[in-house]
Amino acid sequence: MATRRDFLKSASLLAASSAVSGFPSWAFAQSAGGPGTPPGKTLRIIGESLQSLDPIWTTAPPTKNYAFMIFDQLFAVDDKYVSQPQMAAGYTVEDNGMTYVITLRDGLLFHDGEPVRASDCIASIKRWSARDGFGRAVAAAVGEYQVVSDKVFKIKLAHNFPLLIDALGKSNSSQCFIMPERMATVDPTKQITESIGSGPYRFLREEWVPGSFNAFARFDKYVPRSEPPSGIAGGKIAGFERVAFTVIDDPSTAMSALMAGEQDYWPAPADDLLEVMKGDPNIVVSQRTTSNSYYMLQVNHLQPPFNNPGVRKALAMAINQVELISAIQPDPKLVLPCYSFYDCQSPYGTEDNAAVIKTADIQKAKEALAAAGYKGEKVVLLAVSSPPRLSGLNQVLDNVMRKLGMNVELQAMDFATMATRRTSKEPVEAGGWSGFITGWTGGDVANPAVNQLLHGAGEKGWFGWANDPKLEALKTSWFRSADPAERAVIAKQIQVQAFETLPYIPLGATSTYHAYRADLKGVFPAPVNAYWNISKGDKA
Amino acid sequence: MLRYALQRIIMTIPVMAVVAVFVFGLLFVTPGDPAVVIAGEQASPAEVQAIRVAMGFDQPFYVQFGLWAQRLLSGDLGTSVFSREPVVELIAQRVGPTLSLLFGGLIIALLLSVPFGIYAAANRGKLFDRAFTAITVLNFSIPNFIVGYLLVSIFALGLRWLPVQGYVPPDRDLGAYLLGMILPCLTLGMGFASLIARVTRASMLDVLSQDFIRTAKAKGADRNRILFAHALKNASIPIVTIVGLGFASLIGGAVITESIFAIPGLGRLTLEAISHRDYPVIQGLVLVFSAGYVLVNLAVDLIYVLLDPRIRY
């Protein structure tokens, strides 16, 4: 039966072919970059709904994108995920690794004209480290912050924490953005409403229509680093006078707007429309992001049946990552099985002890399930219905579980409902749950510090509440180790242990293409949606 | 009539109060916690609770409702949980595009439907009437998102006469505003046009078969006078009724149309607010929509009186 998607694709193909074949037209010139915007001086981006202006208060991706436009970081990861000085001119380590002295670059200014001072940085680190997972490890390790001068400050550690610079430069989830002290001293559970950063663009608050439109103007006093961009490190050049984000909910409309030249850049094109855009010579479809999307099944370790390690193992044996990811990713090149608890592109992404999730055999899994003593206990899968990839994965996983012989009930819901339901530790009969699928970027699972799901902390840890003291002990050793080679060995041991107890089940990965007009220049690979260093010229 | 209008407006107050209590109660028992959404994936239960307390979501129903009602009485609809913008301002930002869409859609629907409905009735059983019947059934059967995509394919991507999406306020650029609203209003209005056209035809046929029309014909009145002076005025009550009822359903269609054409209207604001559990925004919007329904119904009642002086309330 023809689906709505089929119709959209057909309509889009019809439109694309008519546009390309010289259909008589009155060229419609429109600047969607906002009123009064000179075309060509604005980068017009199909954006997501920006609702909040506080990247510490919420980890919502649109707020993160906004924050990367207006804020800057002391350190930022390069294309190899190594933290490099960004606002910092550099740093030294003293007292046998127990004191970090960080010096700020010259010329750093906030958008209100005030210079960036050491006290702003300390207040920003404190606020971030009260909320972020990696940040909390920083907070636990820091003994004292000390202002040496307006441009220099010290971080004195209470115990050894060799990952301090990595934490300050992290690119995933919640980042340590530097704000004026008056903003950074706001209770981190309350939202800041000011929009003053020191990044290459400043926020045009008066043009903001929450959830619909937001725009930025070049901050003329921004002093970029001299190095070329690498990841999100290096020089950030504001290539446009304005950057305007228009929220277009409908993927078909978004594609049409890009093809018609009403928009310049679409960072999250729908997978099933990519082929249409690839056929348009004015559109570039490229795999810009350096961070893949990883999917996991988080199971509930407190309640049957997944409190039984044998049942977890049987389910892991039944899952075929290639089949699962293929169901949501039409491009075979982007079906990326990953038999690791870490980002497979990261140095830790090995397949040690991964045999259980490489089995992919329903028959063997059935035998393992019977051996584990599964008695037909009800399995409640909390299935978010959006985004489409998660919805698709839920349906395929539901089918795998049924084939395995599990008594599964897929409960479709929106994210807000799922986010509340998953906090329940009750049995499924009392509103509890058995599993849910979640998605994270490669940066979020690159190592034990950032991978929130990889834990054995029981009820103090992430949802699912896996309890594995050995895993936790290994993680503590990893945090304390100053030797990268030793950390790599411990990371491997963590994975070996994790495949024994399965705190969660990795489901594989895929990637995302970006689509943009061919006259954009300077689009560089990055782990986040970075819009600096891009400019407009002839076709690339 | 003025007295009647005032009475009706005053009567809306208890209706709105009931709506307010009902909606507040409904949201209170709806699953989903804005504090969890705000806190993000890495938050601990303690952090979620801290946010809940900071936002006042830990208070019992009657306290939260009392505070909200107290603010409402002073004209304050509260502040968005997420954007921290006043709900009144958020609605004010969005009401213009939605009204443009609704009235534009209505005008297009009326322009397309009433003349053709009258003409079909006047030519009952002829080729035009049969074609009219088939086309209206077909048009009414097509979901408006499909109409929207087809219009975009033809007029925006193919002919490049009109923009694919977006909204430009009329005070900034009237020409761009008008061009930008053509496709959305057509999308919204076309389905509604079929409904009005069918009712117009049926109502006209009913009136045209009555004795006074036969008398007018016998007295030699010309065709146009019979159709427009005698028949249409008497056939208007059902048409106005369906326009009034349909206008309310247009609001539902506007949500889809706004999404297709990226129009920053109240429909999209509603969807956003529901998905984030932004309770103050949802409550404000429901009140605005309720008031809109009541006003449309009031307008319909008043038009009845204008059309038929025998109607008294």
Side-chain angles (χ1 to χ4, degrees):
Chain A
M1 196 177 81
T3 64
R4 176 174 171 270
R5 281 265 178 232
D6 295 332
F7 171 77
L8 298 184
K9 285 171 79 171
S10 307
S12 305
L13 281 166
L14 172 74
S17 60
S18 61
V20 171
S21 64
F23 217 98
S25 69
W26 297 345
F28 184 84
Q30 180 191 328
S31 165
T37 301
K41 294 185 176 179
T42 298
L43 177 60
R44 301 162 303 176
I45 298 167
I46 298 166
E48 293 176 291
S49 169
L50 177 66
Q51 296 281 349
S52 167
L53 305 180
D54 189 341
I56 305 302
W57 185 74
T58 180
T59 55
T63 302
K64 174 179 166 175
N65 293 338
Y66 148 88
F68 270 111
M69 296 292 286
I70 78 156
F71 295 114
D72 215 346
Q73 294 174 279
L74 285 169
F75 298 88
V77 291
D78 63 16
D79 58 2
K80 294 181 176 60
Y81 281 96
V82 177
S83 270
Q84 303 291 349
Q86 182 54 246
M87 294 171 78
Y91 69 98
T92 56
V93 185
E94 300 172 354
D95 302 336
N96 204 21
M98 296 299 283
T99 300
Y100 285 72
V101 182
I102 298 173
T103 304
L104 297 175
R105 281 196 286 133
D106 291 329
L108 296 177
L109 286 175
F110 285 116
H111 299 160
D112 59 2
E114 288 294 309
V116 178
R117 298 184 176 92
S119 55
D120 300 309
C121 301
I122 291 172
S124 298
I125 295 171
K126 283 181 177 173
R127 189 166 191 265
W128 162 77
S129 63
R131 289 295 308 275
D132 178 65
F134 205 171
R136 279 194 286 268
V138 171
V142 171
E144 185 191 0
Y145 294 96
Q146 201 175 77
V147 173
V148 177
S149 70
D150 271 358
K151 286 180 56 183
V152 182
F153 65 100
K154 287 184 179 177
I155 302 176
K156 293 189 170 181
L157 300 177
H159 64 73
N160 190 25
F161 190 72
L163 299 168
L164 178 67
I165 300 302
D166 297 277
L168 294 178
K170 74 190 279 266
S171 63
N172 61 302
S173 292
S174 183
Q175 297 78 15
C176 184
F177 292 115
I178 302 303
M179 306 170 176
E181 190 176 5
R182 66 177 183 282
M183 289 165 62
T185 47
V186 171
D187 179 343
T189 62
K190 293 180 178 160
Q191 190 179 178
I192 54 167
T193 52
E194 270 194 273
S195 310
I196 302 296
S198 63
Y201 286 97
R202 59 187 175 81
F203 187 54
L204 298 172
R205 179 68 180 259
E206 65 282 6
E207 293 189 25
W208 181 35
V209 181
S212 181
F213 180 83
N214 51 284
F216 302 83
R218 178 191 287 148
F219 179 47
D220 292 327
K221 292 176 181 168
Y222 181 77
V223 180
R225 296 189 71 89
S226 56
E227 300 94 332
S230 171
I232 47 177
K236 295 179 176 179
I237 311 289
F240 287 87
E241 283 182 18
R242 283 170 56 95
V243 179
F245 291 76
T246 303
V247 180
I248 303 179
D249 300 321
D250 187 88
S252 180
T253 306
M255 181 187 70
S256 300
L258 188 69
M259 292 171 78
E262 293 176 22
Q263 297 290 329
D264 298 310
Y265 196 105
W266 190 11
D271 293 323
D272 53 351
L273 299 178
L274 290 171
E275 287 305 313
V276 180
M277 288 186 283
K278 283 179 182 172
D280 185 333
N282 295 309
I283 306 291
V284 175
V285 177
S286 84
Q287 199 180 336
R288 181 190 181 195
T289 179
T290 57
S291 185
N292 293 331
S293 303
Y294 286 82
Y295 297 97
M296 306 84 170
L297 172 67
Q298 180 60 63
V299 292
N300 187 344
H301 290 245
L302 297 183
Q303 299 293 342
F306 294 121
N307 60 349
N308 178 342
V311 175
R312 296 198 294 271
K313 210 164 191 172
L315 179 57
M317 289 167 72
I319 291 169
N320 181 329
Q321 288 196 1
V322 174
E323 282 182 11
L324 204 65
I325 300 299
S326 297
I328 57 162
Q329 177 52 262
D331 186 344
K333 289 201 292 288
L334 297 188
V335 175
L336 309 169
C338 177
Y339 305 107
S340 173
F341 279 97
Y342 305 112
D343 174 3
C344 277
Q345 291 178 308
S346 75
Y348 293 164
T350 64
E351 295 187 0
D352 295 284
N353 203 27
V356 65
I357 59 166
K358 294 178 83 174
T359 309
D361 187 323
I362 286 283
Q363 198 50 46
K364 284 183 182 169
K366 277 183 175 175
E367 290 164 13
L369 189 65
Y374 175 68
K375 298 184 187 70
E377 295 97 331
K378 190 173 175 183
V379 173
V380 170
L381 191 59
L382 303 182
V384 292
S385 44
S386 179
R389 282 181 177 178
L390 277 184
S391 173
L393 282 176
N394 277 308
Q395 290 172 41
V396 179
L397 185 66
D398 173 60
N399 189 39
V400 170
M401 286 176 162
R402 286 177 197 282
K403 280 185 187 168
L404 186 57
M406 285 186 151
N407 173 21
V408 59
E409 180 179 313
L410 182 142
Q411 297 184 359
M413 58 193 70
D414 66 357
F415 176 77
T417 304
M418 190 277 274
T420 305
R421 283 280 305 276
R422 72 181 174 184
T423 60
S424 171
K425 294 174 182 171
E426 299 296 317
V428 292
E429 293 77 15
W433 56 278
S434 309
F436 64 85
I437 296 178
T438 178
W440 298 74
T441 68
D444 291 311
V445 295
N447 60 55
V450 293
N451 189 341
Q452 300 294 301
L453 290 78
L454 183 57
H455 77 91
E459 298 195 38
K460 290 180 184 168
W462 210 69
F463 310 100
W465 309 290
N467 191 352
D468 184 349
K470 186 178 175 187
L471 186 66
E472 280 301 291
L474 285 166
K475 280 184 71 173
T476 304
S477 306
W478 183 87
F479 267 106
R480 298 283 170 88
S481 172
D483 176 12
E486 185 187 44
R487 279 210 299 269
V489 171
I490 301 171
K492 190 179 284 189
Q493 291 169 345
I494 290 172
Q495 168 158 306
V496 168
Q497 175 63 17
F499 274 124
E500 292 300 320
T501 58
L502 289 170
Y504 68 89
I505 301 173
L507 300 178
T510 185
S511 189
T512 304
Y513 283 109
H514 288 219
Y516 50 91
R517 300 287 298 176
D519 58 355
L520 290 186
K521 293 189 299 187
V523 179
F524 59 100
V528 301
N529 293 337
Y531 296 113
W532 49 86
N533 296 70
I534 299 175
S535 58
K536 197 171 267 187
D538 295 331
K539 281 186 186 179
Chain B
M1 192 156 109
L2 183 64
R3 190 175 163 197
Y4 169 72
L6 286 172
Q7 276 177 346
R8 285 292 303 269
I9 289 169
I10 290 167
M11 278 168 60
T12 61
I13 294 171
V15 172
M16 302 288 283
V18 170
V19 168
V21 176
F22 183 73
V23 169
F24 203 97
L26 204 63
L27 289 175
F28 202 80
V29 297
T30 302
D33 181 350
V36 173
V37 179
I38 291 162
E41 295 284 315
Q42 300 191 9
S44 65
E47 284 174 322
V48 174
Q49 181 59 16
I51 290 171
R52 209 174 278 136
V53 170
M55 312 292 295
F57 296 141
D58 60 327
Q59 300 292 320
F61 172 79
Y62 63 90
V63 173
Q64 290 191 45
F65 181 75
L67 289 170
W68 179 71
Q70 199 177 0
R71 283 198 304 266
L72 184 64
L73 289 173
S74 61
D76 178 8
L77 289 177
T79 305
S80 162
V81 168
F82 289 88
S83 67
R84 307 307 301 161
E85 297 284 307
V87 174
V88 170
E89 278 186 27
L90 289 175
I91 291 175
Q93 278 180 330
R94 309 290 194 109
V95 76
T98 298
L99 286 180
S100 298
L101 187 59
L102 289 176
F103 283 106
L106 183 64
I107 290 167
I108 284 174
L110 289 171
L111 289 175
L112 288 175
S113 62
V114 176
F116 287 117
I118 294 170
Y119 192 72
N123 295 280
R124 184 182 186 179
K126 294 182 181 170
L127 181 62
F128 179 87
D129 185 35
R130 287 179 189 174
F132 167 88
T133 304
I135 289 169
T136 51
V137 169
L138 179 70
N139 185 41
F140 193 66
S141 308
I142 302 174
N144 65 353
F145 74 86
I146 290 185
V147 173
Y149 292 136
L150 283 174
L151 291 174
V152 166
S153 294
I154 296 166
F155 295 103
L157 284 176
L159 299 170
R160 306 234 167 176
W161 290 353
L162 297 165
V164 172
Q165 50 79 44
Y167 174 81
V168 180
D171 57 335
R172 296 228 170 91
D173 187 340
L174 185 61
Y177 163 76
L178 291 171
L179 281 174
M181 292 309 294
I182 290 173
L183 293 185
C185 291
L186 267 174
T187 301
L188 188 63
M190 277 175 67
F192 192 33
S194 287
L195 184 66
I196 303 173
R198 299 279 298 192
V199 171
T200 302
R201 177 183 174 276
S203 184
M204 285 292 288
L205 284 175
D206 182 44
V207 173
L208 288 171
S209 67
Q210 290 183 19
D211 289 344
F212 75 95
I213 296 291
R214 202 172 300 120
T215 305
K217 281 182 185 170
K219 288 168 70 177
D222 71 34
R223 192 169 184 250
N224 285 344
R225 183 169 172 75
I226 289 170
L227 281 177
F228 295 102
H230 296 293
L232 182 58
K233 192 172 179 187
N234 285 283
S236 294
I237 297 280
I239 299 171
V240 170
T241 305
I242 201 69
V243 169
L245 290 174
F247 191 77
S249 70
L250 272 189
I251 294 174
V255 175
I256 296 167
T257 310
E258 285 174 9
S259 294
I260 293 172
F261 292 97
I263 293 172
L266 294 176
R268 285 175 69 203
L269 183 62
T270 308
L271 289 180
E272 284 277 345
I274 291 171
S275 69
H276 288 97
R277 303 293 190 275
D278 198 341
Y279 293 146
V281 178
I282 300 171
Q283 285 147 5
L285 283 164
V286 170
L287 280 181
V288 168
F289 284 133
S290 306
Y293 282 119
V294 170
L295 288 175
V296 168
N297 278 317
L298 175 62
V300 168
D301 286 349
L302 296 179
I303 292 170
Y304 284 165
V305 177
L306 290 175
L307 289 172
D308 188 348
R310 292 171 299 178
I311 295 175
R312 286 289 176 266
Y313 295 96

